[in-house]
Amino acid sequence: MGAGRPRRRRRGPRVTAPEGTRPPRSAGRGGDRRPVRPPMDRPRRAAYEAVAAVHRDDAFANLVLPIILREEGLYGRDAAFATELTYGTLRHLGTLDAILTDAAGRDVARIDPPVRDALRIGAYQLLHTRVPPHAAVSSTVDLVRAVAPGATGFANAVLREVSTRDSDGWVAKLAPPMETDPVGHLAVAYSHPQWIVRAFSEALDGDLGETARLLIEDNERPPVHLCARPGLIDPVELADQVGGAPGAFSPYAVYLPGGAPGDVPAVADGRAHVQDEGSQLVAVALADAPLDGPDGRWLDLCAGPGGKAGLLGALAAQRGARVTAVEVAEHRARLVSQATRGLPVTVLATDGREVGADPKLPEGHFDRVLVDAPCTGLGSLRRRPESRWRRQPSDLPPLTRLQRELLGAALRAVRPGGIVAYVTCSPHTVETHVTVTEAARRSGVSVDFVDARPLLPAGMPGLGDGPTVQLWPHRHGTDAMFLAVLRKG
């Protein structure tokens, strides 16, 4: 595995297989007791339906799984087990597919999709949970019997081959040597596409040990962060209500220990919302950046679905300011309106690049502008595991062009002396440093970079040399948010 590399954490969930996993025995003719196969159990069926929807329909797991759980009537331990199987399978998909290809003696792409998804879930159980091997195999064969009856023998043979090694054993067999192909090795060992491993390594200055720690963190189940909206609820009060803890860095963050966020009364009535702590920090940095002159007109140029607009709106209400929240997609603009109800926020369903052309977005008008630009989302792969397999390097050129155009629009929208915060949920250097420097160069206006580090909590580690800041899951426990703060001359 290479000297000096961190040992891979194997923190398999303490899950107990639901009832029905072990086949009961019943009396047959002559009193002999024959094994009777149970029907496919509901948690595994729910996980299968979610994984199949992701691959068949390009669905998002965080959207389809809650619907499936409700339809199946799964709660508590069974819902947790189905959730772990779904997200764990999607996070480890690349490595699972490499293992299944070897175990099956054929490329995983040549296995029928229903069988392939069932085998992925079975292999995940074998290699990353504490479900007993015989239970993982038998329950997956039952699943295959339900979705592709003719493939049960094949599935049984493949899974028994998978069970001959643990996860580390398979990595040792299949991954290229760390010494000669570190990117290839890390891609197999930690289940990320090679181009993403390479991008992460470049953003971390080529530190392969730290890259491995980031990849490990991407494969962990992320905590749910709540934002206690300032002026509406105190974070300590919210933490007491949910049995959680105040955040490590954001003054408004609360860590939810478990349960559905929608069941939290403060979330239901709009005093709090779900938001990663890193997203809170970059929004607060914009609001707290020193500013001379008027400070009553704020702009969120890419506001959907409304988390940052909600936090900015709550802060603006305390300071006598107003927020204009722009979102080009009408359905997302409606989400922003819902998220900011009761706050001093005006929502515009228009293109943020129309600054100067749209009379509601005049040039040189706003004191503070947030550009939370559309991006690859590589900074939130732990929350959206399917994204790592969908994104391609070819996605970057159109995204970075859009990012430059939006930042250019923000620099037109802000008044002289005003502040612009450019934010992406990606550490890819072409979406961060390259975009910011190119947009500033092409803007045709005088732009000064403000050191963003003092705008984050004192003592926060690992913020680099400035003036921009890159947050990291493995350093800060947040999504990998990038922040650049610019002042218009």
Side-chain angles (χ1 to χ4, degrees), residues 379-466:
S380 59
L381 296 183
R382 56 187 187 149
R383 300 189 188 278
R384 298 179 180 87
E386 65 273 12
S387 294
R388 72 182 73 175
W389 313 115
R390 289 180 178 169
R391 284 298 188 187
Q392 301 294 331
S394 57
D395 295 332
L396 286 164
L399 278 172
T400 54
R401 181 169 59 250
L402 175 60
Q403 291 159 4
R404 291 193 300 268
E405 291 171 353
L406 287 167
L407 183 48
L411 291 170
R412 296 197 306 274
V414 73
R415 65 167 174 84
I419 294 292
V420 173
Y422 173 80
V423 171
T424 69
C425 189
S426 170
H428 201 301
T429 55
V430 301
E431 297 188 90
T432 58
H433 298 285
V434 173
T435 287
V436 172
T437 54
E438 278 296 298
R441 183 181 64 83
R442 297 180 185 187
S443 68
V445 299
S446 173
V447 174
D448 294 322
F449 280 82
V450 176
D451 191 344
R453 294 172 297 172
L455 304 177
L456 297 175
M460 194 171 179
L463 296 183
D465 299 327

Side-chain angles (χ1 to χ4, degrees), residues 298-302 323-328 346-366 369 406 409-410 412-414:
W298 300 0
L299 173 63
D300 184 350
L301 205 57
C302 313
V323 178
T324 299
V326 175
E327 173 52 51
V328 65
T346 301
V347 180
L348 303 180
T350 190
D351 191 325
R353 292 171 291 181
E354 292 298 306
V355 170
D358 188 324
K360 295 180 181 179
L361 292 175
E363 293 189 8
H365 179 74
F366 296 94
V369 181
L406 287 167
R412 296 197 306 274
V414 73

Side-chain angles (χ1 to χ4, degrees), residues 273-345:
H273 60 268
V274 177
Q275 186 177 37
D276 178 76
E277 190 172 12
S279 293
Q280 298 176 39
L281 289 169
V282 296
V284 173
L286 169 68
D288 287 351
L291 184 67
D292 294 328
D295 191 16
R297 297 173 297 201
W298 300 0
L299 173 63
D300 184 350
L301 205 57
C302 313
K308 295 182 182 68
L311 176 53
L312 289 174
L315 290 168
Q318 294 184 310
R319 304 183 190 181
R322 290 198 60 86
V323 178
T324 299
V326 175
E327 173 52 51
V328 65
E330 289 192 7
H331 71 283
R332 286 170 63 86
R334 288 192 293 271
L335 293 176
V336 178
S337 295
Q338 295 169 9
T340 58
R341 187 175 292 115
L343 298 173
V345 177

Side-chain angles (χ1 to χ4, degrees), residues 12-244:
R14 294 182 177 274
V15 295
T16 303
E19 292 183 7
T21 293
R22 294 187 179 186
R25 301 180 69 86
S26 60
R29 289 184 181 178
D32 64 324
R33 302 176 68 83
R34 300 174 182 270
V36 177
R37 289 279 184 182
M40 177 175 41
D41 65 78
R42 291 189 300 155
R44 288 182 173 88
R45 178 170 61 199
Y48 169 80
E49 293 295 342
V51 171
V54 167
H55 296 138
R56 182 187 61 237
D57 306 325
D58 282 341
F60 292 95
N62 67 314
L63 299 180
V64 299
L65 182 59
I67 297 171
I68 293 170
L69 294 177
R70 285 197 300 271
E71 291 175 346
E72 291 286 347
L74 296 177
Y75 305 96
R77 188 183 73 180
D78 283 349
F81 185 63
T83 301
E84 173 60 33
L85 292 184
T86 300
Y87 280 92
T89 299
L90 294 173
R91 289 188 186 103
H92 293 273
L93 190 69
T95 304
L96 294 175
D97 280 0
I99 293 168
L100 289 171
T101 292
D102 187 88
R106 69 177 76 166
D107 194 291
V108 73
R110 295 176 52 214
I111 301 174
D112 288 342
V115 180
R116 182 168 63 221
D117 283 332
L119 288 174
R120 288 162 165 165
I121 293 171
Y124 176 76
Q125 292 175 74
L126 285 168
L127 300 173
H128 296 284
T129 76
R130 296 175 184 177
V131 174
H134 71 274
V137 173
S138 65
S139 61
T140 305
V141 170
D142 290 335
L143 177 55
V144 171
R145 180 176 288 108
V147 300
T152 55
F154 169 74
N156 184 70
V158 170
L159 290 172
R160 291 193 180 281
E161 178 63 22
V162 172
S163 70
T164 60
R165 293 178 173 84
D166 64 9
S167 180
D168 288 338
W170 278 110
V171 168
K173 179 182 181 182
L174 299 177
M178 184 71 181
E179 295 73 18
T180 58
D181 185 2
V183 169
H185 181 92
L186 294 175
V188 173
Y190 303 119
S191 196
H192 282 68
Q194 288 196 28
W195 75 274
I196 293 180
V197 176
R198 191 173 293 109
F200 286 172
S201 175
E202 290 173 358
L204 290 165
D205 298 322
D207 187 327
L208 295 176
E210 191 170 10
T211 301
R213 289 192 290 275
L214 170 60
L215 300 176
I216 289 170
E217 197 64 36
D218 260 359
N219 289 334
E220 295 294 323
R221 183 188 307 173
V224 175
H225 297 168
L226 302 180
C227 176
R229 291 184 170 181
L232 299 179
I233 188 170
D234 182 82
V236 175
E237 177 188 354
L238 178 60
D240 288 342
Q241 289 180 6
V242 301

